[in-house]
Amino acid sequence: MTDQAGATPPSTLTPHLLASVLAIVAARGGVDFRDYRAATAVRGIEARIRATGCPDATSYLGLLEQRPEEIRPLLEAILVRVTQFFRDPGVWAALQYRVLPSLSAQNTAGSLLRAWSIGTASGEEAWSIAFLLGALGNPFEVLATDVSPTALRLARAGVYPTVATLAVPSDLRQRYLEVDGERTQVRPQLRGQVIFAEHDLMSAQAVPREAVLAAFDLILLRNVLIYLDPRLQRKAFERATQGLVPGGALVLGCAEVIPPEAESLLEPFPRVAPELRIYRRRERA
Ligand SMILES: C[S@@+](CC[C@H](N)C(=O)[O-])C[C@H]1O[C@@H](n2cnc3c(N)ncnc32)[C@H](O)[C@@H]1O
């Protein structure tokens, strides 16, 4: 927002007010953003201050205390849900030609190949990996989780603007997507193999209920760590690494790297360019 002179007015969200708002969100909204990077929370709160017409952060805090129904939109405003089908095409080429064939060859028992998309947002990442796994021909299952119920509703519906699906390779588009003018829908054949579930990666429950007995061949943890402070990042790594079978692959966002202490558990995935941030759980830690 800009004032009449075109400048952004100074923020009224002091560190104390920020802490009070986040304490309310943690207690009543169930998501603890206090160890997220402050800029992520500040941007979301400022957006809600403007949307609710509050003159400043103090009056917004008052509104939040009085109106429990404001918690949800605030939570959604803090979560950044930007995503795309086949986001970072080089990563998906590596998955298609190097990582998935290797995971499939490793799975000599022919059991389900299991993938987990953490922070899946509106589902484009989960559907992208399901398309590749479907084309590979192995039996598979994709678990896709997020803390945002709004994002998960979109993900489950599997309906996207047609223009957003143009990044899907054309053979996969023809096979798995049904174009209806400006809207494109995921065809029914993969729907039983992709499970969407609400799960907070930072909650006491390390893996979602749907996955308690499962170990995953592939975990996608992309563009989530950037919003977390180093302590939460370490926790997220620990959880993702524990969820992998030995030899399983962990895919991070292109701007993210594993911390040095994770190097005893993870190694760069063989024959994949290091800048693609694809790692493999070592057979023996
Ligand atoms: C920027 S999107 C990334 C989407 C997708 N992974 C990609 O790379 O395109 C980040 C997602 O992480 C989710 N997220 C943030 N904190 C989370 C947490 N503690 N547990 C699970 N998901 C979380 C947000 O709701 C959002 O949908």
Side-chain angles (χ1 to χ4, degrees):
M1 192 168 70
T2 53
D3 61 19
Q4 280 174 343
T8 305
S11 175
T12 55
L13 192 60
T14 61
H16 179 71
L17 286 170
L18 173 65
S20 306
V21 169
L22 294 185
I24 295 178
V25 176
R28 301 197 208 149
V31 184
D32 195 341
F33 289 112
R34 284 172 289 194
D35 287 329
Y36 278 52
R37 295 210 166 136
T40 309
V42 167
R43 201 201 43 250
I45 298 167
E46 299 276 12
R48 287 309 299 166
I49 294 176
R50 293 194 295 274
T52 51
C54 287
D56 56 31
T58 307
S59 68
Y60 180 71
L61 177 62
L63 177 138
L64 193 62
E65 281 164 341
Q66 282 157 23
R67 281 203 218 151
E69 66 274 19
E70 175 56 20
I71 299 280
R72 268 287 135 198
L74 173 57
L75 213 144
E76 295 292 348
I78 295 175
L79 295 168
V80 178
R81 301 199 311 247
V82 179
T83 187
Q84 284 165 17
F85 283 101
F86 289 82
R87 181 179 192 176
D88 305 317
V91 171
W92 292 90
L95 283 170
Q96 182 171 9
Y97 297 113
R98 294 264 186 258
V99 178
L100 296 184
S102 158
L103 297 178
S104 165
Q106 193 170 292
N107 178 19
T108 44
S111 41
L112 275 187
L113 273 183
R114 306 197 73 245
W116 181 13
S117 162
I118 301 177
T120 199
S122 37
E124 288 87 333
E125 179 177 277
W127 292 119
S128 299
I129 197 64
F131 299 162
L132 289 185
L133 285 164
L136 189 69
N138 290 54
F140 73 93
E141 191 174 85
V142 176
L143 176 67
T145 57
D146 203 285
V147 268
S148 163
T150 307
L152 290 169
R153 259 196 305 281
L154 296 167
R156 273 191 204 102
V159 180
Y160 300 93
T162 296
V163 65
T165 63
L166 296 178
V168 179
S170 61
D171 55 326
L172 299 176
R173 284 187 84 208
Q174 276 170 20
R175 193 156 162 187
Y176 295 117
L177 292 170
E178 191 161 333
V179 182
D180 180 10
E182 289 181 1
R183 288 159 29 108
T184 289
Q185 187 164 349
V186 178
R187 288 187 202 272
Q189 76 244 44
L190 287 183
R191 287 182 177 258
Q193 285 140 277
V194 184
I195 300 159
F196 291 100
E198 195 173 327
H199 176 251
D200 178 353
L201 184 62
M202 301 307 154
S203 67
Q205 200 182 337
V207 288
R209 226 172 303 118
E210 290 76 355
V212 167
L213 297 175
F216 294 91
D217 301 282
L218 172 68
I219 294 184
L220 302 149
L221 175 59
R222 305 175 68 223
N223 305 301
V224 178
L225 298 172
I226 37 171
Y227 301 108
L228 311 178
D229 81 359
R231 191 185 68 82
L232 279 194
Q233 285 186 357
R234 275 196 297 278
K235 188 167 165 183
F237 270 114
E238 235 176 78
R239 291 192 158 181
T241 310
Q242 281 162 5
L244 280 175
V245 297
L250 174 66
V251 188
L252 302 182
C254 288
E256 299 160 333
V257 282
I258 57 165
E261 60 270 28
E263 280 169 15
S264 60
L265 295 172
L266 295 163
E267 60 191 353
F269 203 93
R271 302 196 304 138
V272 170
E275 64 271 21
L276 299 179
R277 311 296 188 216
I278 305 181
Y279 300 89
R280 179 167 75 170
R281 181 168 172 168
R282 293 181 192 272
E283 295 290 334
R284 251 180 227 118

